[in-house]
Amino acid sequence: MSLPLAPSYDVVVVGSGPTGSTYVREVFERRPDARILLLEAGPKLGDPPGGHVKNIDGDEPRARAQRASEGPAPAAPGRPGTRLLGTPDLPAAAISTNVGGMGAHWTAACPRPGDSERIPCVPDAEMDRHLTRAEELLHVTSHAFDRAPFADVVRQRLAARFDAGRPVSRRVAPMPLAVTTRPDGTHAWSGTDVILGPAAADPRVELADTCLCLRVLHDAGTVTGVAVRDLNSGRETTVTAAAVVVAADALRTPQVLHASGIRPAALGRYLNDQPQIVHAVRLPDDVVAAHDEVTGRTREDDGGIVPQSGVSWVPFTDEHPFHGQVMQLDASPVALADEDTVRPGSIVGLGWFCAKDLDPEDRVTFSDTETDAFGMPRIGIRYRCTDRDLATIEAARNAVAEAGAALGDPLGGEPFLLPAGSSLHYQGTTRMGPADDGTSVCDSHSRVWGTEGLWVAGNGVIPTATACNPTLTSVALASRGAHALAEQLPRRTVATAAPTAG
């Protein structure tokens, strides 16, 4: 889109990923008088905007969409649709810049947090209501792969190893996934098009792609609007707003606030990546022979994961502070002998994510003299593993090895630790808290301390050490924040005239 935009909106949301889109949808539904601008620095990838790239038909169109998401810096090896940030302490840190954000590329895993992953400053009953709402917005189901061959035996073997002493909610189970099974048996993966729903086509909501938010504008402690650059023309403008939500991910949300001169003491601190251990095994021949239920579908039919693919979950507990994601594959991740025949679902990939010690010195930093490819303050990262982290990683490595031994024969050697940043689950940099005491950026409704009318959203607001995939939690917190925003938003703050097309 080219500027100009309309001169004013009720709400401006910066970032079109899952949480920014949640704010749009919730305010849209709760405040029919509000006009909303959704700003995105990246391009639209297809129709509908914000759709998951797995839903794009054909390898080449899908690859073009992924390349368009990578932005001006080098792509991340092995991570189509992302680009490397380029920081030594977190060498695999990567981001996407496109309509839908990482929601166009994610694995769609939506487990609920448990035990100490829960948010202390949000009442449990209220958090559960918003988690349920997040599941509705994302179209989450645990039954997408009920027909997957070998999935039952995989879960039975994992349960025999891990379920003893766990409450029912923390036992081995199918992974909840943001995916819809179509009538023909194929799958549609949830992107932010699913979250936006009817808001995407309503004239009260305007999506401006390739438009970078340079700064949040504020005066005397109150938000007044945003400064925007059209990345196609280079033209800059300002728009006024009663409320601004910055949902630009856990690395770039604090970047926008820093560039705006809004710098709470905890901004960028408590950065939390999840150390990730991976392993692969092959189910024994006797198990495959006894449970041979191949449907004949191919990987291409379902955009990457097929009914032969089961996705199982070994939940986090405080006693076992890691989260297991177990995926059955239709191909081996390591080279096999030419004479080997891989039965779909018989190769099992195991990924264990670890909860990390929270340290205010693990942080994102911003240069006041150097800029990135978009002209924003250059990001740096300081990140270290503590002795306790190293012990957790070793325990997770042992747990993965035990899970692999329970399932079958190892492939490709022992479980190994991926480079720091590989999880893509960055959190904590705009964390919420119960009080403005210098250890949090926002309150439990995601309102930034000391700046009236400013909200933050995304995985960055999560204040706890988590191991589970964070998207469901951050969407739930966004739903909660959006309800507060809708209640506080002044009635009819702008005219109803449509914006000028450009």
Side-chain angles (χ1 to χ4, degrees):
M1 177 178 180
S2 298
L3 299 177
L5 302 169
S8 59
Y9 298 83
D10 295 282
V11 181
V12 173
V13 179
V14 179
S16 63
T19 57
S21 296
T22 296
Y23 269 86
V24 172
R25 174 70 176 273
E26 298 286 51
V27 174
F28 168 80
E29 291 192 353
R30 288 174 170 267
R31 290 296 302 269
D33 59 325
R35 285 198 45 230
I36 306 166
L37 172 64
L38 179 56
L39 285 174
E40 172 55 57
K44 297 176 184 175
L45 301 181
D47 189 22
H52 201 296
V53 297
K54 285 183 181 178
N55 300 334
I56 298 174
D57 290 332
D59 289 343
E60 182 53 35
R62 192 177 306 124
R64 284 198 301 269
Q66 290 166 334
R67 285 195 295 272
S69 306
E70 291 163 2
R79 290 289 179 89
T82 69
R83 62 182 175 91
L84 284 175
L85 194 62
T87 58
D89 281 6
L90 219 60
I95 53 180
S96 294
T97 308
N98 55 268
V99 172
M102 199 65 78
H105 310 281
W106 67 316
T107 63
C110 288
R112 287 197 174 204
D115 289 2
S116 60
E117 292 180 311
R118 304 276 295 193
I119 314 298
C121 59
V122 179
D124 281 344
E126 186 175 348
M127 188 67 189
D128 286 337
R129 288 197 300 272
H130 287 294
L131 286 167
T132 297
R133 174 57 174 164
E135 290 165 345
E136 294 170 353
L137 290 170
L138 289 162
H139 293 190
V140 174
T141 177
S142 295
H143 300 291
F145 297 108
D146 281 350
R147 295 168 48 236
F150 318 126
D152 287 346
V153 71
V154 166
R155 284 193 280 274
Q156 288 166 6
R157 291 183 170 215
L158 290 172
R161 170 63 189 83
F162 294 107
D163 277 0
R166 290 174 177 242
V168 172
S169 64
R170 296 282 99 189
R171 293 176 185 170
V172 172
M175 177 68 79
L177 296 169
V179 61
T180 302
T181 302
R182 303 182 180 109
D184 65 356
T186 60
H187 297 93
W189 298 85
S190 296
T192 59
D193 58 325
V194 169
I195 297 174
L196 288 168
D202 194 281
R204 291 188 291 117
V205 176
E206 183 177 354
L207 169 62
D209 66 328
T210 63
C211 283
L212 175 70
C213 176
L214 299 170
R215 294 176 305 282
V216 176
L217 306 177
H218 52 101
D219 181 53
T222 299
V223 158
T224 59
V226 292
V228 182
R229 177 188 297 138
D230 182 329
L231 295 178
N232 294 316
S233 68
R235 182 178 175 182
E236 296 185 6
T237 191
T238 62
V239 297
T240 63
V244 173
V245 182
V246 184
D249 74 37
L251 303 177
R252 289 174 289 184
T253 292
Q255 181 189 46
V256 171
L257 266 60
H258 179 91
S260 308
I262 300 169
R263 303 177 183 181
L267 185 69
R269 294 185 178 272
Y270 299 94
L271 173 64
N272 175 20
D273 175 43
Q274 296 171 344
Q276 185 179 358
I277 311 288
V278 297
H279 190 33
V281 301
R282 186 174 184 174
L283 296 178
D285 290 341
D286 60 333
V287 172
V288 173
H291 300 80
D292 192 1
E293 306 171 20
V294 177
T295 65
R297 300 192 64 81
T298 67
R299 175 176 289 270
E300 179 61 25
D301 289 333
D302 283 338
I305 298 181
V306 296
Q308 293 94 320
S309 306
V311 186
S312 300
W313 173 33
V314 182
F316 167 97
T317 68
D318 288 343
E319 185 178 355
H320 299 92
F322 19 82
H323 153 93
Q325 185 167 319
V326 181
M327 299 183 68
Q328 293 164 251
L329 311 174
D330 62 352
S332 176
V334 299
L336 298 176
D338 291 341
E339 64 269 17
D340 283 343
T341 299
V342 175
R343 289 300 186 109
S346 65
I347 302 298
V348 183
L350 302 102
W352 254 238
F353 298 86
C354 302
K356 190 190 181 302
D357 264 348
L358 299 183
D359 182 347
E361 295 308 312
D362 290 334
R363 62 178 304 191
V364 186
T365 63
F366 307 100
S367 173
D368 288 322
T369 58
E370 299 179 39
T371 57
D372 63 14
F374 289 99
M376 297 293 286
R378 189 168 183 269
I379 292 175
I381 290 178
R382 187 275 185 197
Y383 198 78
R384 298 287 186 273
C385 283
T386 65
D387 289 343
R388 182 178 176 182
D389 292 329
L390 297 177
T392 300
I393 290 167
E394 188 58 29
R397 196 192 309 269
N398 292 336
V400 174
E402 291 171 10
L407 293 176
D409 305 316
L411 293 173
E414 298 297 314
F416 62 93
L417 177 67
L418 293 179
S422 295
S423 78
L424 305 180
H425 294 169
Y426 320 127
Q427 299 165 60
T429 54
T430 53
R431 68 202 305 254
M432 63 172 49
D436 184 7
D437 59 3
T439 67
S440 60
V441 171
C442 63
D443 69 10
S444 67
H445 289 90
S446 303
R447 297 171 291 208
V448 174
W449 300 116
T451 305
E452 187 72 22
L454 179 60
W455 274 254
V456 285
N459 295 340
V461 305
I462 298 173
T464 53
T466 70
C468 72
N469 311 68
T471 301
L472 184 76
T473 301
S474 61
V475 168
L477 295 173
S479 174
R480 186 171 194 263
H483 290 190
L485 191 160
E487 290 175 2
Q488 292 180 221
L489 191 65
R491 298 284 172 181
R492 183 46 34 216
T493 59
V494 296
T496 58
T500 304

